[in-house]
Structure formats: C-alpha cells, structure tokens
Amino acid sequence: MTYIVKPVNHHPNLEKNKLGLTRRDYEGTISTLCAGCGHDSISAAVIEACYDLSISSDQIAKLSGIGCSSKSPSYFLNQAHGFNSVHGRMPSVATGANLGNKDLLYLGVSGDGDTAAIGIGQFMHAARRQLNITYIVENNGTYGLTKGQFSATNDQGSKSKYGEENVFAPIDLPTMAIQLGAGFVGRSFSGDKQQLVPLLKAAMKFEGFSLIDIISPCVTFNNHLGSTKSFDHIREHNESVSSLDFVPIGKEIKTTYKEGTKVDVPLHDGAMLTLEKLSKKYNPLDKGQAIQSLNEAEKNGKVLTGLLFINPEVKDHAEILNISDTPLNQLAEKELCPGAKKLAKINASLN
Amino acid sequence: MTYIVKPVNHHPNLEKNKLGLTRRDYEGTISTLCAGCGHDSISAAVIEACYDLSISSDQIAKLSGIGCSSKSPSYFLNQAHGFNSVHGRMPSVATGANLGNKDLLYLGVSGDGDTAAIGIGQFMHAARRQLNITYIVENNGTYGLTKGQFSATNDQGSKSKYGEENVFAPIDLPTMAIQLGAGFVGRSFSGDKQQLVPLLKAAMKFEGFSLIDIISPCVTFNNHLGSTKSFDHIREHNESVSSLDFVPIGKEIKTTYKEGTKVDVPLHDGAMLTLEKLSKKYNPLDKGQAIQSLNEAEKNGKVLTGLLFINPEVKDHAEILNISDTPLNQLAEKELCPGAKKLAKINASLN
Amino acid sequence: MNKISSINEFVIKFANVNGSGSASANQMFAKGIFRSGIPVSPKNIFPSNIQGLPTWFEIRASEKGYLGRKAGIDFMVAMNPQSYTQDVAEINPGGYLLYDSSWKRDFKREDINIIEVPLTTLCVDEFNNPKTRLLFKNLVYIGALSYLMNINKDIFIKLIEEQFKGKEKLIAPNVQALEIGFKYAKKHLVDACKIKVNQANLTDGMILTNGNNAGGLGCVYGGATVCTWYPITPSTSLAESYKKYCDQLRVDENTGKNKFAFVQAEDELASIGMAIGANWNGARAFTATSGPGISLMTEFIGLAYFAEIPVVIFNIQRGGPSTGMPTRTQQSDILSCAYASHGDTKHVILIPSDPKECFEFSADSFDISDRLQTPIFVLSDLDIGMNDWTCPEFEWDDNRKFDRGKVLSKDDLDSMESWGRYLDVDGDGIPFRTLPGTHPEKGAYFTRGSSHDEYARYIEDGEVNARNLSRILKKFEGAYKFLPKPIFKQETNASSNGLIYFGSTEAAMQESLDQLSVSGFPIDAMRIRSFPFGPEVWNFIDQHETIFLVEQNRDAQMKTLIVSEGNVNPEKFISILCFDGSPITANFISESISDVLLNKNTSQPAEEIK
Amino acid sequence: MNKISSINEFVIKFANVNGSGSASANQMFAKGIFRSGIPVSPKNIFPSNIQGLPTWFEIRASEKGYLGRKAGIDFMVAMNPQSYTQDVAEINPGGYLLYDSSWKRDFKREDINIIEVPLTTLCVDEFNNPKTRLLFKNLVYIGALSYLMNINKDIFIKLIEEQFKGKEKLIAPNVQALEIGFKYAKKHLVDACKIKVNQANLTDGMILTNGNNAGGLGCVYGGATVCTWYPITPSTSLAESYKKYCDQLRVDENTGKNKFAFVQAEDELASIGMAIGANWNGARAFTATSGPGISLMTEFIGLAYFAEIPVVIFNIQRGGPSTGMPTRTQQSDILSCAYASHGDTKHVILIPSDPKECFEFSADSFDISDRLQTPIFVLSDLDIGMNDWTCPEFEWDDNRKFDRGKVLSKDDLDSMESWGRYLDVDGDGIPFRTLPGTHPEKGAYFTRGSSHDEYARYIEDGEVNARNLSRILKKFEGAYKFLPKPIFKQETNASSNGLIYFGSTEAAMQESLDQLSVSGFPIDAMRIRSFPFGPEVWNFIDQHETIFLVEQNRDAQMKTLIVSEGNVNPEKFISILCFDGSPITANFISESISDVLLNKNTSQPAEEIK
Ligand SMILES: Cc1ncc(C[n+]2csc(CCOP(=O)(O)OP(=O)(O)O)c2C)c(N)n1
Ligand SMILES: Cc1ncc(C[n+]2csc(CCOP(=O)(O)OP(=O)(O)O)c2C)c(N)n1
Ligand code: SF4
Ligand code: SF4
Ligand SMILES: [Mg+2]
Ligand SMILES: [Mg+2]
C-alpha cells in the first residue's frame, strides 16, 4: 500500500485564495517520484497556478498516460477527478471527456515518451481539433519509468547515462503543435517557477489547445554530463522569448514592461495576457516566425522558452462541433429520447 | 476473381531501356480503380520512372497500407515484391523490410487517410529515422475506399460531395516531413506527369526518406465544385517552385536553365539533380524557408509543387544504425550463430 | 420449355457492374415487392471496390416468410457480361435469364428461359446524355420486370417520386425509363414469365430496413450523446445513421446547437479512447467498428474492463482474419470480443438477429453498460447490418426510463458517511460510481488501469488486487440477469436433439426447422442473444442429448465459449459451420443435420460439418 | 529462545528502499550461496517505481533443489522502517531479524531472534560521502551475513572484484565495507544464527541467470538479425540482453559494422510491424513485449497469421488486465495470445519454464516460425524473465543447422514449372515461399491480409477463401510435430489423478509432488511446453480420471484452451489458481490438492481453488 493521504492541517495563518482555500487544499498525495525529480516541481507549479486562479478542484479533470510524468496527477489536486489511462492515449480520453462535459477544466499530463513516441498521433490530432485542454509534457528526454531509454525528444548526440549516443534528431513538440494550428504553445523549465506558473495560468484560461512543453530533468537517468536535458544544460542554454503576466478579469494591468516590447493578448473570458518580448525579433502571434525561431534556436543549441505562440482567435473543439451550451452529460432524458410518436414517423418512412 | 494478367505482347518496335525491357514489362495487373482516378496516373508515372531508370523490378519492394491508393502497387511492376499491409502501418513494415535487406529499392504507397490519420505516427517516425524509401502519398483529401469521408489533409472549408463543410485545418505532410528532417520532400499532381516523373526518379535515387505528396483527385467522391482537391481546383492553384531534371550518373548535364536560378544537387550515387527555381525566393536546400513558403502558400490558397526540400547530406537509417554491408537477410549461418565454444565462455560468466 | 411457375415465392438476382447506380434501382425493386405485401430479403453482394468490378443483388421474396439466403436462382437479370458465365450457371432449370439483347448472345443453356430486352438500344433511342443513360437502363429493366412479374407499376412510380423528393426534375425521366421497359415487355414479352407477385398484406406492420440504420437509431433512443468512430466497412453506416437521426431529432430548435457530438477519430485507438473518456464523464457514448478495429481497440477495452467504465462497442462483423473479406459476412469475432485484451478479462456481448433487435439491443446496451460499468459489445454482422430485412416495426414505451445504474448524486454523497469507488456494497459485485463535477468536495477519485483497492487507491498488494479481480468476475457472473434471454422456437422441448444458433443465421432457421420437421427430424431450437449465458441456456443444453451448434465461422467459436464457460462436455455438440462469407442457407443446415441424424442410426456421427 | 537451525535450507528476505542500490548487493549475496554450491532462487519483488518505495529481495536456498517460492521467512534483513511492521510479521517463529540498530527499536515479537547491527553508525565512522555511505551499508550487512551464516568471505571479495572490473578504484572500499560487517558480527554476534551454509558442489554444471538474459542470447544463437521492440516491464531486459550479446558477438571485426539491427520503435504497433517486415524479407526478426504490447499488436498478428509470415513474439507476462501490476508475475495472457486477432485465428505458443528453456525455445522459435510460416509466441513471465534461477548450463550442438523451412532458392525456382505461394504441395498445409530479390524473373508475389487464392492473387470468391483458411488450419493442426513435447515427472503413470502445469510453476512443482507423495497422495504430473497440444497431452488426459490444472491466472485460461481444442470434458479438471501476482508456492498447491482428495472420499469435490 503506497497511498498515503497527507493530513491537511490548516494552519490558521495560511494564506487563502478567493475561494477561501489554502495551497494545501490543492495538494495531492505524497509523491513517489525520485527525490529531486523535475516532475515534482511541475506539480508544485500546478498547485500554485490553481490556487492563484481560485479554481475549485472539483471542476478540474486531470488526465494522463503512463510514465513517471503520468503519475504526477496523483500528486496534485486531490479533489480533482483523475484518470491515469493507457500509454500515449491520454489525448483521446481527454477528447471524449471534453465531449461529455465541455465545462470542466482539462489538465492533460504526459511525458515525452508518452507524447512524442507512442502518442504522437493522438497528440497531433487533438491539437488539430483544438481540444480545450492544458496539455503538459513533462519532458526529460528519456523514458524514466522504464529506466532510461532515449525518447524521441532527446537531442541528436546527447549521451545516455550509460554513455550511448542518441543517433536520431529530436521531435520538437511545440513546433509541431504550432504547425498544426494549436492556439497556445509555450515551453518552460521545471526549475523556473517564475516563468512556469503564469504560463500555466494563461494556458488554463485559454480556450483551445494549449501545449506547455516543460523540460523536466530526470535526476536518475538523464541528468548527467553529456545529456542535453540535464538541469545544468538547460540552465545554460535556456533563452526566454518573453516575460509573461497573467491578469485575471477585473484586475488592473500594471506591468512595468517597456512600450514597444509589450504585447497584450485578451483571452476568451476577458482576462488579459501581457507579455514583454525579450527578443525584438520574436512575435508570438506570428506562426511562421515562431517556427522559424524555434528551428534556428535548435540549430544553435538554444532552448527557447516562454510563450512561443498564441492565436487568441481560435474556436475550441466543442465550439467547432456546435455542441449545445448544456454539457452533453447534463442533458435531461426527455431532451435525448425522441419517444414513441417520433418513432411512429420513422417506422412510416421505412415501409 | 478479379485478378487478370494482361498478356504482355512485346510489340517488336516498342522502345527498350538499358535492361532491354519495354514499358510493358513494368506494368501491373489491370487497375480496378474508378475510371479516371488520379491514382492510376501515378501508377503510370511510377512505371515510367522505373523504366527510365532501368531498374530491375525484382530489386524493388512495393509496400502499402489500405485504401484505394494502397491498392495501386498491384497495378504497376508485376515483377516487384508487393506487400499490402494493414491500414496506416506501412511505414513500420517497410522499416523492417529495409532492416532485413537494405539493398532493395523501397516504394511505399499510401493515401492521405492511411498516412495523415491512422498512420501519422508511423509516418513521422519513419521520416525521423531517415528510412530509405520513396514514400508516395496519393492525396485526394478523402477516404476513397470507405466512400468519401473527409481526411486529415482536407482543407478547412472544403465541401464534401454531399455538401458538408470540413471544419478542421489540414495536416500538411510535406511541412511535417521537412520539419522532421526528411532528406527529400516534394509535392506534385497526378495530372502533371512532366513534373512527377523526374521527381519520382530523383526520389528513388535519393538515399534517405523521400516523401512525394501527390495530389490525386478522387473522381468519385472528391472532384466536385467546392472541393479543394478536385482536378479543376488544383490546376488553378498549383504553383510550381522549381523545374526539375534528373541526370543519371555519367550523363552530361544539359539543361537550359538560366544561371542564377539553377541549383545542382549531387545525389548519393553520383547522379545529379538539376533544378530551375521558378520562384526566386525559394531555396529547396533551406529548411526554414521551405516551411515558411509552404505555410504562406497555404494561407493564400496556393498549392506549392515541385521539389520542396532536399538535404543531400543525410545518412539513411541503415547507415545510422551501422548495419553491415551485406544485407542482414544474406548473412551466412556461421556469421550469425556463435557456436558452442563461445557458449561455454558465456556459461562461465554466469556461474 | 419448362418454365418455373410460382407466386410470391422466388429468388431473383441482379448481376451488375459496381458503381453503375444499379444498387438503388434494385433496392427499389425489392421495395416494390415489399409494398406489394410480400416479405423480401434483398442482399447486396458487393466487392471491396468503388467502380467497375462485378456486383450482385439478390432478392428472395417469400410469402411464407422464409427470408434466409437460398442457393439457385429463379430469375437472373444479367447486366454484366464480365460475369455472364458464372451468372448463367446459377440459374435453376426452368428459370429465367433477362439480359441486354442490344448485343445478342447464345448462353448455351437449353433448360432456361431467355428473356431479351434491348436495354441499351431502348435507352439510346430515348435519352441523350450517355451518363444518365447508363443509370436509366436500370429503371428500364425494373419496368420490364414490373410487367413480367405483374407488380403494380404505380408502386414504382410512387417510389421514384419519393426518392427524388426535392429533385423533382428527375422524376419524369425516371418514370419515363420505367415506362419504356414496361411497354417493351407488354409488347414483346407476354407470358414470358410465370413467376408472379400477387398483392397481399403480409408486410402490414412491417418495415424494410437494415441493422445499421436501426442500430444508429437505437443509440439516439438509448440516449447516446457521443459517437466517436473511424470509417470501416461494414460498420460505417451505423455511425452515419446515428448522425442522420441526430440531425433530425437532436438539434436544438432555438439555438441550432447539437445535443450530440459526432467525431470521426483519427483511428480506432482514438475512437474507443474518446468513447471511454465521454462515458467516464457520464455521457453515453459509443463507437462502431469491425474486426480490424476491434483488434486495435484491444488495449483500451482492457482498461475499460478493469477501471469499470461503461462503453458500448458495435462490432459489425465481416470476413476475417486480417483485412480478409471486408464486404462479406461472418460471425468470427466471438472470441476476440468475449476475451478481448490481455490478462483475465471477459466481456458482455449482445447478439441481435435482425434490425428490430439491432434497434432494441442498441438502446438497451447503454442501460446495461451503465448498470454493469463495463464495456458492452453489440455483435452484429454485415448481413444484418448492411442488407435490408423485412421485420416488425420499431417499438418504444414512453414510460421507459434510462437506467443509469449505480451513480451517486450530490444528495447521495451528502448523505453518505464514506464511499469507495470499488466497494461491493450490495454483494452483486457492482460498485457505485460518481461523475466528475457532481459535488464540490465529495466523490472525487482516481481512475486507473493499474491495480487499485476498493477506494481507487493505487496499490501493489497482490491480495487486494486479487480481491478486486474476483469481485469483477462476480459482477460478470451475475450479468446475465440484465441481458436479453434466449429465444426458443418451441413452447416445450419435443426432441432429444437441440439446435443452438444466434445472430443472422435466424433468417434461415425457421425454414430449416420446417424442412427438418418434414423430413421426420423435428428438433428443438434456441437462439442465444447474449453472453454471459444464463440458466435458460444451460438448462436447454442439459435437456438435450445432442446439440447442433450453427455458426458462421471456421473455429466453432461459440462452442468454445459455451464449453469453457459452462463446464459442458464438448462431445455433446455437433458444429455446423459456414465460413465462406455468404449468409448460411436453410438447405445447408437441414442437410447437414439430417445427414448426421441418418448416420447416427447407422454409423458414427460426423463430428463437424463445414 | 528457540532458534531455527538449518543447513543449506532456508529463506532469507531483504526489505529495502527502492533505488538504494540494494538489489545488486542482495544479488551478490545470492550468488555467494550459489558459489558455495547450494542452489538458490533469488526473487526481486520491486514496485512500479524508481526510487523510494519499499522493495524486497527474497532468496531461497535449498540443497534439495526446491526452488519455488516459500511463504514464511527464516531470516529477515529489515532495512526499511516503512515496511517494518509487515516484514516482522512474516518471520517464522524462531527466525531471525537483522536490522540497523543505529536506531534501536522494539519489534514486539518474543518468538524471533533480533540481530542488531548498527549499520549506519558503522558506515558513518568509516565513510565520508553520504551517498556512497548509503550504498556501502548494503555491503556491511552482506559482510555480517557472511559471518553469521558461515559463507566464505573470499567468495564475496571475488564477486566484488568481478563486479568492479574496469573500475578498480571501487573494489577497496566495497571490500572494506564487507569486512566491517564481517568483523562486527565476528565480534558481537557469535552464535547469533543457527542457519548455516555448508560448502557443497550441487551447483556444478549449473548457472545462475534469468530468463530474459537467456532468451536474448537464444535469439543470437537462433540467428535473429533484427530486434524491434518498445520498452515495457518485464520484457525490456530481453531486448537488452540481445543487444548486449550482439555487441559482443555480432560486430564485424574488420569493418566494425553490425551484423544485427536493434531498433527501439515508437510503440508496439511499430515494433511488430517492423519484425513482420524483416521476416517477410527473410531476416529472422523478433519483438519482445508484455500484456499491453500484445494487445496493441493484435491487428498485426492477424496479418502475419493470414499472410503466413514468420515472426517471433516474446511475451514476458506480468499482472493484468490493463496496466495491472507491471512488476508482478502472472500467466494470464494465454487466451489473448492463443486466439489473438479478430476472425478465425490460432497461434503457436512455446512455454519455457526456466532460463535454460528460455535459451532453447528462443533459438528454436525461429526454426519453428520459419517452418510453419506463422507467428510464434514465446510465453514467459516476470518470474522467469527477471529473476535469477539456478539452472543447468546452456548447451549448443555445433552440428545443428537453421531450419529455414520451405524457402525456394534461385535454383529451385529455375527448376520449377510453376509455383503458387499458398499451394499445399506436400499435404501438410505448409506452402512454399520465396524471399524478395532471390530471382530476377520468378517468385515475385503479392503479400496481403485480404483474401487471396493459392497464387496470392486477390480474390473475393468465398469458397477459395474458405479453402485457404482450412489449409491454414490444417497447418496449425500439424504444428505440434515441430514443438517441444510435454515433460513427465514420472516414467509411467501410477495414479488415477493427474496434474498439469506449465511455465514458471515448475519451480514449485517437485517439492509439491514430494509433499503429496509423503501425504499419501502420489500423483502423475505433466508439464505442457507448447500449444497446439500433441497426442502426448491428450493421452495423459485420457489416462487420468481427475486432472488438477495449476495456473497463475483467474480464469483458468489453459483449461479453456485444452477443453475447447481437445473436445475434452471439462468436468474432469480441477483448477488450482493463483493470481495474486506472487509466484505460486508448493504448499499452496499441495494443500489445495490434498484438500480436494480428502474431500473426494467424503463429500463433494470443491470445484475450483483460488
Ligand atoms: C502499451 C505500453 N507500452 C509500454 C509501456 C511501458 N512504459 C511505461 S512508462 C513508459 C515510458 C514513459 O516515458 P515518458 O512518457 O517519457 O515518462 P517519464 O517516465 O520519462 O516521465 C513506457 C514505455 C506501457 N505501460 N504500455
Ligand atoms: C484498422 C482499419 N480501420 C479502417 C479500415 C477501413 N478503411 C479502409 S481504406 C480506409 C481509408 C482510406 O483512405 P485513404 O488512405 O485516403 O485512401 P484512398 O482510398 O482515399 O485512396 C479505411 C478507413 C481498415 N481497413 N482498417
Ligand atoms: S526516474 Fe526520472 S522521471 Fe522517473 S521519478 Fe525518477 S527522476 Fe523522475
Ligand atoms: S473511389 Fe476515388 S480514390 Fe477510390 S478508385 Fe474511385 S476515384 Fe479513385
Ligand atoms: Mg520522459
Ligand atoms: Mg484518400
């Protein structure tokens, strides 16, 4: 038995959010990941973001595939609805869940093996459909749970723990997602809470497919010298394209960003995303430029992070499909079953 | 019984290639596709290309998935080795076949349903591995064999035969392939033999992953007004990026292309690809530019054709894996089985 | 020359070229007979091809209501020179051959009646456009048949009017074509045919439809709001039927918005994944597929089984294995459904035998799936799914309510001390579930395909896991209570020989039983309609010495299921197997059985008939 | 205080924290006993986790050669406070508990012997680096055990030297840690333990290895040149073993090039597709996977079956269904392998019971697969695959030649008039094949999963297809001739009770049979080693009145296979089922059987024991 519920001791002085909840209320069970695993920092960031946004956990569905990363949803938001599905197929389960109830907030958690190898097809089609989800890839360039094989996001020439060299070029998930029309694409680093939390908040508020590719070093199998997904390597090669502020609806925008470098992006529910471009060349609203920059950065061994692309005009899957305002799982029986009278007409059409 | 072998009547005056074979020798069984189907023109182009290159059919493996397009390999190269596998999984079968014998010429034939939907994962990973194959997508924007559903390459807003509008954005396979590092990427039109045949020849000579996305209208289900994959639509929106000449090894290059617009690309076996850029901006050796141009063209409703991208420096999968020069299926038993003596040593290491 | 003479009992077959528009004309002809009050069973025998290959359309008309396929053709309409040889050979002595005598031909059979109609010539004379001319040719032969068989021409005119509702321009030329044929026959072919249709009223209260149309409609009535699928013959039309009826019945009149979702997935792994996701959220969702799709869904099916998520899967079986014969019928996915997925798994299966049952089982399947919290297969086949059947009208009781099974509401949760997702509270192995978003604080749990305890917590304790697996088995063992019971052809048993069959072989069965009775071999028959089997099935087996088991597969898969699930001695069973892709015939069944029974009195029984 | 006293017969268990480096130390301890000449069976009981959760390592040492798991621990090395309670409870009365007494603890059991070793304190005193200190702690307890159990310390020193070959710097500190423990015990724990190891020679000619290591090596010897796989516990190490041995044995000395290909595919659909493609081309190729992978391969398996392409699939079974218990053992994929894929399919299965057979069956599987032109499953499990077993040395006959089956050479083709890919020339249902590129003009054919005739031509003629399917069945029915025959524990039958078992339950079986014999229930036993079953299996079943069938699954899957394939009366069988994920024990088997046999004489037999 490995499930241990942390006693939620509400310290009277703990900070509370709009719902009157403390960060503790957003925690999950105790992590069984390796001490120091990047994935745990991401769980912490998710907790932080949900706390900040004052989201009620019961309105959140957290879905995942299989892998160390895919275990993470157990380690945050105890009161959210969890679904640890099968390897690489979370996108389809999430798509179905969203069809059933478009009003929940969907957090998808996956790994680089789970998404870029076995799951790449479902990932691409979910992006293409503009599934309304915050799709988090906890990207460590390796298969943690099966003990350190190369994944498809591992960089060419990067070395395994056992000294072997990866001979294949990586699949860059953000580039793929942007190319496929995903509405919101970002990258971050599990070690950079500053950047990650606002990115997560914005993604959760975005209505459409939001990918956040988070480099999340595997301390056990891919954090050595020669690995390009180690803490050290990422810290050295990280290049942030923008600084991001998420401003909820009703709040005043008071960033100190310099005019000219500042971009304001209104989100669907009226909240605002303000960002300061750190590189003048970079425009996160331009698909072509985003892809170009990502490819160039890769060539130069840089890892671009931040909000890489956003298209605030997309419609999400439910909207594209013209699904009724009442979630499908809440339609009353009489709205669904046409009854005997209508059936008589149908019979008449068949004789 | 639908298999009818055409009598191969060698007309004494039929033109012969270097192997002394006529075009007839490269034919297949009589097509059972609809009269006028674009796929049949592609079969004709394949026949032409193989005839021109004087390839012996027995050194060719032709593999496919499932669909009208995937039936095509029956309709060309009777003496080649055919494998009509399962839906969307041709790339893996071809990868295995290539591992078994890297010296055959691999022709992969697929459809847009077969590749862009169920098969997108295998397609991407084969491209990423730089599998040495000429991968032909007979792209009609629809599921021909299952009677006209939209495929994932169908353009947003394009209409079905029954008037329904496609609500999703297309997956552009060439862009994907270029992004993934495929060495050779082209697009053509089944109605343009002039462009298609040299492209096929170059692809077959190229050692690495060669994609040719061929728009191939489905006369039965997707050739109406409102479709963006109809003969008429493609003829109107086709924009060729280059004119291509394939010059086999030893032949003199005598194109009439203007200097400055001309690019010569040496292929692995010494043959030469000469191409005239029709658009000054376009450089098929530049990945970033290729993707950019493709995206722009799409935005403008144009269909770029020709050789879209080439990287003559790639190593193919077998080379990357450092596979022995003798194909694996031809290694002698004594090279494979280490024998009793070596086993004694292994036993010793285990006690 | 001998002429087959028959009223309201015959088989007519049309040999055409695929893609020439013949199917809809032939369908119309079948409907003409149906509207004359005679039960019909049209069968479309089509290639896995879009245009050009031979295709056939076989119609059996039978006032006795024998609607199984019957070998030997009474009337052949041979429109495809490519298949002349084969088509002519199939005609019964004394039967008829109608062909396009624009090109005369000697068919080298003295024992059949050749009926010549110069179809092409007639069309060329009347129609200009060569493409429509091709289509009208079909109507011309329908017109000729209308005269020859004495089917009221007005019925066809009405059918044409109905068909071209909205495209009224097309009515006149179609009727014209019909008339051309009729007139030609009236002038040149008086008394050419002694097979006649006499108006009757045997189809009152009946409809003519196919199982996929019915199945799609059943999903609408069953409250399915989500259909996620991937195209594959012969299941595609079930999904399309659902969409068609939803477009009619489930679009909000005020907002124009859809009270359903219809998603063509990228493949079958995704389509089942989506259906599972939607059901997890409490929306009724289904997918429809065929053999290859089932194989691809295998991993996900195991997840739904073990995590106990309802999901309805239609498998419209076709000829296997592998791509096999996509346009032919079989019942060969029984084991691959019953035991789908690795590990210890067993799945509930419903087996309809005609469109009426497709409608009913389809609607029922959602209740059963919710009740049992497990995947449900509705196992139909190409013959039921894609061919039209004469069957009773669909019925619906407006007092019927959805059975959502053990789902806890917000109030339930508020009134509960504690709750465990996988606790067996009622002793029936069925736990209670909650739907996401029901309650702000209670009822959240973690769904997973890895081992878990009664509270849905991840565990690696083998005993806890074994306990959970045993409870799931218990649930399965009680499942028969919620499933359609078998149907018996007899009120009480009258023979020591029993016959078990299921699904589409129903069509041939009454005829076969009558034949056997006539031959002095009356036999008791039971049609299985679901798996796992209930006591009625075991009793029937107990009560008979010998059991014939009729299946349309090679490996006697249903026998495996019966024998292994019921600890029944397999020696009792004699399998009658037909797996060539054509629907089984009454004659084949009767002959197989009577051969065995004759032998039984004399020598050793033949063990298996294929 | 009572002290268990035993020589060369005991169970010792180590309770550790996952990821703390304990596994390799414990493995070394097992090997120490093995090198002392005593058969051992170490079992690593690990969580599906990388670091931090409890993990156990159980070693049974038995000079009698009883190597099955045994419940009840004689000596517990409790290194994990998290699992103290559970660990202490498992110790037999009179048994021993060794723990890290740096933190003293009262274990509240009066009936066991507590052995205190202040491991942490000892390490802190001697080693500076806290990380290596953690690792050395393991060596310290090995040292203490070496003294306590009287295992020659030099054996461990040698093992350390072997382990750190190439990293010689590490030898000294490891030996130092060992010595610390040894010295501490010598000083403080004289006579603390009466369980001893006496040097013997019972492991001469034996090796200590696991089934996956052996299986990978078998692939090298069987001539496999292509391994395409996707990581999944517990099969990963088989692929890795193949790679390891290829790196040693299959790299061309001159060119440095590989005479093999090793491809980590993107998923299991791709890995099996690649293996099929390579085999189609005539290269011997295999894939290795576990339950979820098998489910994903289901569609492709049907293709290989129907298109008759050889391919070897290793299924190292784990706890199902779904993700289930990835790090526990079961035999629950029998049906999902035997009948994998939609349509009528049956597959050949080889079932090894120890690493030696893993090696042999692995090499054989390629011959069998080529011979039969069909997929072959090698069905192992986590217990065999990942745990080390004491087994006889591997053997190889240098005169042995690959059997490539009916493959036509260029000369064959030149000398033939005609050839049909799927023609049954020899009457055994096995056709002749060609490999692409063999001949410039002859022997090309079209491989497909759709229906085809004897010449590999696409057809839709149902009878031709049925003929082909029947031939494939005939091939299958004759397959037993090429498969490993069952093994009998007795020369001739001596009882009316028979026992059937297979695979990893072998480990517990001899002990159980001996126990039963002693209890007055001698019983005949047969170990099945392959499917389909041959006459030996049917005879054994015929010759016994009652048959106990031991399986590690819930649903008695092997029974289903036997009953349905052999038309055997299921009532004859009494299933003994263990499906909690732990290897079955001799006691469980013996008790279950003797309970039934005792009851038999008095009352009704219990039908199933779980
Ligand atoms: C169908 C299937 N194949 C293989 C596995 C084994 N498996 C479990 S996790 C995993 C890889 C996980 O890698 P990634 O998604 O990168 O997660 P990480 O552990 O690195 O966070 C694999 C291959 C499985 N569970 N299911
Ligand atoms: C696993 C599986 N799912 C579905 C099908 C049914 N199917 C056959 S062909 C096809 C689509 C073919 O579309 P495409 O590849 O575009 O070929 P086209 O016919 O348009 O040339 C589908 C879905 C199948 N054969 N196998
Ligand atoms: S193995 Fe790697 S990814 Fe998995 S928990 Fe440990 S550090 Fe994290
Ligand atoms: S249906 Fe379309 S794709 Fe298929 S053969 Fe006909 S025209 Fe070609
Ligand atoms: Mg990873
Ligand atoms: Mg297509």
Side-chain angles (χ1 to χ4, degrees), chain B residues 39 68-69 111-114 138-145 149 151 153 216 218:
Chain B
H39 301 351
C68 294
S69 33
D112 44 325
D114 202 59
E138 307 193 344
N139 186 350
N140 54 17
T142 190
Y143 284 32
L145 193 57
Q149 296 84 10
S151 85
T153 66
S216 173
C218 169

Side-chain angles (χ1 to χ4, degrees), chain A residues 2 4 32-35 66 68 71 85-87 89 113 117-118 143-147 149-151 164 220-221, chain D residues 46 48-54 82 229-233 236 240 243 247 264-269 296 322-323:
Chain A
T2 63
I4 304 149
T32 63
L33 303 179
C34 304
I66 299 284
C68 294
K71 286 182 177 182
S85 68
V86 288
H87 193 32
R89 316 296 176 189
I118 190 168
Y143 284 32
L145 193 56
T146 55
K147 307 210 159 181
Q149 297 83 10
F150 289 127
S151 85
E164 236 162 316
T220 302
F221 297 112
Chain D
F46 59 104
S48 178
N49 157 276
I50 302 301
Q51 192 197 84
L53 290 185
Q82 237 188 300
W229 68 296
Y230 188 70
I232 187 167
T233 308
T236 300
E240 286 169 348
K243 168 82 158 58
D247 282 341
Q264 181 184 322
E266 61 272 32
D267 64 12
E268 289 87 348
L269 288 99
L296 288 174
S322 196
T323 304

Side-chain angles (χ1 to χ4, degrees), chain D residues 516-531:
Chain D
L516 286 165
S517 224
V518 168
S519 325
F521 300 117
I523 199 165
D524 300 329
M526 171 177 72
R527 177 159 64 85
I528 286 175
R529 303 201 299 166
S530 57
F531 173 75

Side-chain angles (χ1 to χ4, degrees), chain A residues 273-338:
Chain A
L273 213 57
T274 344
L275 50 87
E276 182 184 32
K277 298 195 296 173
L278 298 181
S279 144
K280 282 203 190 104
K281 256 182 52 197
Y282 207 90
N283 177 3
L285 290 156
D286 183 324
K287 174 173 168 176
Q289 222 186 67
I291 293 177
Q292 183 81 9
S293 305
L294 280 162
N295 279 324
E296 253 166 51
E298 199 197 304
K299 233 193 292 180
N300 304 328
K302 294 273 173 220
V303 182
L304 288 200
T305 58
L307 179 64
L308 302 173
F309 176 70
I310 186 167
N311 175 359
E313 264 138 46
V314 298
K315 287 186 188 177
D316 87 335
H317 192 220
E319 208 180 338
I320 293 172
L321 294 183
N322 192 30
I323 289 179
S324 78
D325 296 331
T326 312
L328 294 178
N329 70 347
Q330 285 155 40
L331 288 169
E333 187 158 346
K334 66 174 188 339
E335 297 194 73
L336 298 178
C337 181

